[in-house]
Amino acid sequence: MKDYSQYFKGPNLQEAKKRSHQQVDHLDDVFEIPADMVNVGRGKKYYIHTYGCQANERDSETLAGILEMLGYDQSDDIKEADVILLNTCAIRENAEEKVFGKVGYVKNLKKNNPDLIFGLCGCMAQEEVVIQRILEKHPHIDLIFGTHNIHRLPQLLKEAMYSKEMVVEVWSKEGDVIENTPVTRANHHKAWVNIMYGCNKFCTYCIVPYTRGKERSRLMSDIVKEVEDLKEQGYQEITLLGQNVNSYGKDLDDQSSFALLLETVAKTGISRIRFTTSHPWDFSKDMIEVIAKYDNIMPAIHLPVQSGNSNVLKLMGRRYTREQYLDLFHTIKEIIPDCTITTDIIVGFPNETEEQFEDTLSLYRECEYDLAYTFIYSPREGTPAAKMKDNVPFEEKQQRLERLNEIVREKALKQNQRFYNQVVDVLVDGVSKKDENMLTGYTAHQKLINFKGRKEDIGQIVKVKVTEAKTWALKGEQIV
Ligand code: 5AD
Ligand code: SF4
């Protein structure tokens, strides 16, 4: 066992910033349940609320798997839970404020049920400012743990059950790659598959390299085995997950690369493969060719641009210019002509000028993205951009966001219209929440589609004729 004494019990962003050369081990026998915790949850319920990205969604599936192994049953009703976990996101301030709202709500639940264990985990737990605020204002939280030690939940829960004090265990530096933790997947036909953890890019606005640690890849053999098992269990679709999947394998001693991994996963024959997120900087031509070559790799790429202006991109630390991004964009469209490309954009980066913002608009018009996730810049304490003075008023940033979103809507509709009257393959997710006579699912191109169809085909891939194209979704009828 490694000596973990260098890891802190509370978070420290300065420590989290350091990228050590210490070797990362791939361990498959670290997860354990203390003898006196076996069945501790029998007859009791847990509730997990997940904020943020797919990495968190997948982590919550591990938390659920561990709690079920301890005997707890899942509950959708927070009021009847004996263990409540908030798996939090730190990416923007408004994500954090949502969490604090919920923390206040749980305070009241604890008044009625003093035995309730209330835990907070995920990215916010990795931030010193958050822990300070909790210690000062929210002492009713029983347990705080971070993104690197979720496999220690049985031990931490035990401490929280017996301790009168708040239990805080946050490792500022990542540990090893831990295999063989339990998992209870939220979905029975689509699965998230982690391929790597952490991020080394250090874009100047982003907190993730601090909250998720340095890049660590899982071994290709472990990933492929997971996909093969999922296929055998009847899963139709997997999404390979990493903060920057293109960097996959760079930290391993073997020949692994994302292109090779994608190809190997494609050869398992699982019906649908997706991946997210890609950084434009190391998106290789090999990768594009592999995506084009295999029918079971879906033609949908999320390629965050963040800004259309090279100077802003430089200040953001993005490592590419507008021209280089456009080159890559057009190369992808050439090799995979009908490929869906989506993006992320931040408006109102410190001191962004009107002209620089207009460069983002013109890039958007050129790329005509299928969809974009657009955000107002939010300063994150500890990141370089948070130290920059900013002369752009917030109202101006809001107006820029609205101007951008208008084009986003226009292009989303245009890109959906290209499927009008076509027959598309749809993986059926279930009954539409808005209309119980309609089914809902996603096309290969990652288009949301609501359609009239057969309920017995939920979880299967079916043919659907597109009868209407709207801004955010398609409508259709199943062909049987
Ligand atoms: N402020 C606003 N948006 C941010 N993102 C990341 N950090 C910030 C921040 N500080 C956005 C980026 C990223 C997406 C996941 O969130 O666009 O791609
Ligand atoms: Fe995911 Fe980033 Fe939010 Fe953490 S901060 S949950 S990694 S989006």
Side-chain angles (χ1 to χ4, degrees):
M1 189 77 181
K2 257 189 187 175
D3 174 16
Y4 283 115
S5 55
Q6 58 166 310
Y7 299 91
F8 292 84
K9 286 284 183 187
N12 179 318
L13 285 183
Q14 281 301 326
E15 278 304 311
K17 190 164 73 180
K18 294 181 193 154
R19 289 296 180 260
S20 73
H21 293 292
Q22 193 180 353
Q23 194 200 330
V24 169
D25 291 327
H26 295 79
L27 305 173
D28 52 19
D29 57 356
V30 183
F31 173 75
E32 55 186 17
I33 296 178
D36 50 357
M37 288 296 281
V38 175
N39 287 333
V40 77
R42 193 168 277 180
K44 294 184 174 173
K45 297 203 164 147
Y46 74 89
Y47 175 93
I48 302 175
H49 194 111
T50 310
Y51 300 81
C53 67
Q54 296 95 336
N56 263 15
E57 302 260 350
R58 179 61 188 80
D59 282 350
S60 287
E61 293 181 339
T62 299
L63 296 169
I66 296 175
L67 289 169
E68 288 183 19
M69 209 170 235
L70 296 176
Y72 290 91
D73 285 322
Q74 196 242 331
S75 167
D76 291 331
D77 182 2
I78 192 168
K79 290 196 224 69
E80 62 169 29
D82 302 282
V83 173
I84 297 175
L85 293 180
L86 305 187
N87 191 4
T88 64
C89 171
I91 197 96
R92 281 171 294 274
E93 197 182 338
N94 56 7
E96 298 202 348
E97 288 313 320
K98 271 192 218 154
V99 171
F100 279 115
K102 198 74 154 188
V103 166
Y105 173 74
V106 176
K107 190 184 268 181
N108 289 323
L109 296 181
K110 273 208 75 132
K111 278 184 201 146
N112 301 335
N113 179 5
D115 291 335
L116 170 68
I117 302 268
F118 179 28
L120 184 144
C121 58
C123 286
M124 276 170 71
Q126 299 289 142
E127 296 179 285
E128 287 151 79
V129 275
V130 168
I131 302 299
Q132 270 162 21
R133 183 166 161 187
I134 288 174
L135 289 173
E136 281 165 23
K137 296 194 180 147
H138 305 287
H140 63 289
I141 295 183
D142 302 295
L143 169 62
I144 300 179
F145 58 101
T147 58
H148 301 310
N149 55 343
I150 58 178
H151 62 283
R152 288 201 14 93
L153 181 59
Q155 289 78 8
L156 297 172
L157 203 58
K158 181 177 165 183
E159 266 190 65
M161 280 170 171
Y162 295 111
S163 166
K164 295 253 176 296
E165 310 270 301
M166 187 188 294
V167 174
V168 181
E169 185 178 292
V170 179
W171 299 354
S172 294
K173 283 189 178 173
E174 63 291 323
D176 298 308
V177 171
I178 313 287
E179 296 293 341
N180 289 344
T181 45
V183 55
T184 299
R185 297 192 188 266
N187 193 300
H188 298 298
H189 56 270
K190 300 201 283 201
W192 309 114
V193 176
N194 281 320
I195 63 166
M196 59 190 301
Y197 307 98
C199 178
N200 286 352
K201 285 284 184 290
F202 286 101
C203 300
T204 57
Y205 51 80
C206 189
I207 193 82
V208 173
Y210 308 81
T211 59
R212 292 263 169 192
K214 79 171 173 188
E215 281 175 2
R216 291 100 68 209
S217 300
R218 289 180 72 199
L219 297 177
M220 206 150 99
S221 50
D222 287 327
I223 299 167
V224 172
K225 165 107 186 17
E226 186 174 340
V227 176
E228 280 167 348
D229 287 350
L230 287 165
K231 185 183 169 215
E232 214 173 282
Q233 291 165 41
Y235 277 82
Q236 299 278 0
E237 179 177 302
I238 54 129
T239 303
L240 304 175
L241 286 184
Q243 299 301 337
N244 171 23
V245 292
N246 317 24
S247 289
Y248 173 78
K250 287 183 182 170
D251 57 316
L252 297 174
D253 292 335
D254 53 21
Q255 296 300 306
S256 308
S257 68
F258 188 57
L260 181 63
L261 176 71
L262 256 186
E263 181 149 35
T264 314
V265 169
K267 285 181 182 159
T268 64
I270 191 142
S271 304
R272 286 184 163 194
I273 298 158
R274 302 188 188 277
F275 55 91
T276 194
T277 288
S278 294
H279 189 295
W281 190 68
D282 38 11
F283 204 114
S284 70
K285 197 148 182 218
D286 283 0
M287 278 171 51
I288 308 175
E289 277 159 5
V290 171
I291 299 165
K293 185 169 158 195
Y294 290 90
D295 285 345
N296 57 348
I297 304 178
M298 297 298 99
I301 298 175
H302 189 59
L303 196 67
V305 64
Q306 313 297 2
S307 165
N309 176 274
S310 295
N311 286 332
V312 174
L313 287 169
K314 192 158 188 200
L315 289 173
M316 287 178 162
R318 290 293 289 175
R319 309 175 190 212
Y320 54 82
T321 61
R322 173 190 174 101
E323 290 70 30
Q324 285 166 330
Y325 181 92
L326 286 172
D327 257 5
L328 172 64
F329 182 95
H330 293 302
T331 308
I332 294 173
K333 286 274 183 181
E334 250 163 54
I335 302 178
I336 319 167
D338 63 345
C339 189
T340 294
I341 302 189
T342 53
T343 200
D344 291 344
I345 294 177
I346 297 176
V347 304
F349 190 74
N351 308 313
E352 180 191 60
T353 65
E354 169 64 22
E355 291 71 33
Q356 288 172 330
F357 170 65
E358 282 173 15
D359 283 346
T360 297
L361 296 183
S362 74
L363 177 128
Y364 205 100
R365 286 203 184 90
E366 176 168 342
C367 294
E368 303 197 303
Y369 292 101
D370 286 79
L371 206 66
Y373 300 93
T374 56
F375 311 101
I376 293 180
Y377 166 72
S378 169
R380 305 282 66 213
E381 192 165 319
T383 61
K387 296 190 191 79
M388 295 177 189
K389 281 220 173 82
D390 187 0
N391 62 12
V392 190
F394 191 70
E395 295 68 41
E396 175 65 35
K397 296 186 188 208
Q398 283 176 312
Q399 281 166 16
R400 284 183 192 169
L401 183 70
E402 192 32 54
R403 285 162 68 196
L404 173 61
N405 283 345
E406 205 172 297
I407 305 177
V408 170
R409 288 190 289 270
E410 177 195 321
K411 299 302 177 194
L413 177 62
K414 178 171 175 188
Q415 294 295 4
N416 278 351
Q417 280 166 341
R418 71 192 157 108
F419 294 99
Y420 177 65
N421 245 342
Q422 284 190 18
V423 174
V424 291
D425 287 330
V426 176
L427 173 54
V428 190
D429 279 331
V431 175
S432 161
K433 284 199 182 107
K434 286 188 196 147
D435 180 350
E436 61 180 44
N437 297 314
M438 298 288 274
L439 297 177
T440 179
Y442 281 87
T443 71
H445 291 84
Q446 186 82 320
K447 300 286 178 188
L448 176 63
I449 181 160
N450 299 307
F451 61 100
K452 283 204 196 89
R454 304 190 322 174
K455 284 193 181 147
E456 55 269 39
D457 288 335
I458 291 173
Q460 301 302 315
I461 296 172
V462 300
K463 300 263 177 227
V464 178
K465 171 102 184 258
V466 179
T467 53
E468 194 182 340
K470 304 204 281 186
T471 304
W472 306 123
L474 304 173
K475 262 189 152 177
E477 276 168 25
Q478 183 176 351
I479 296 176
V480 282

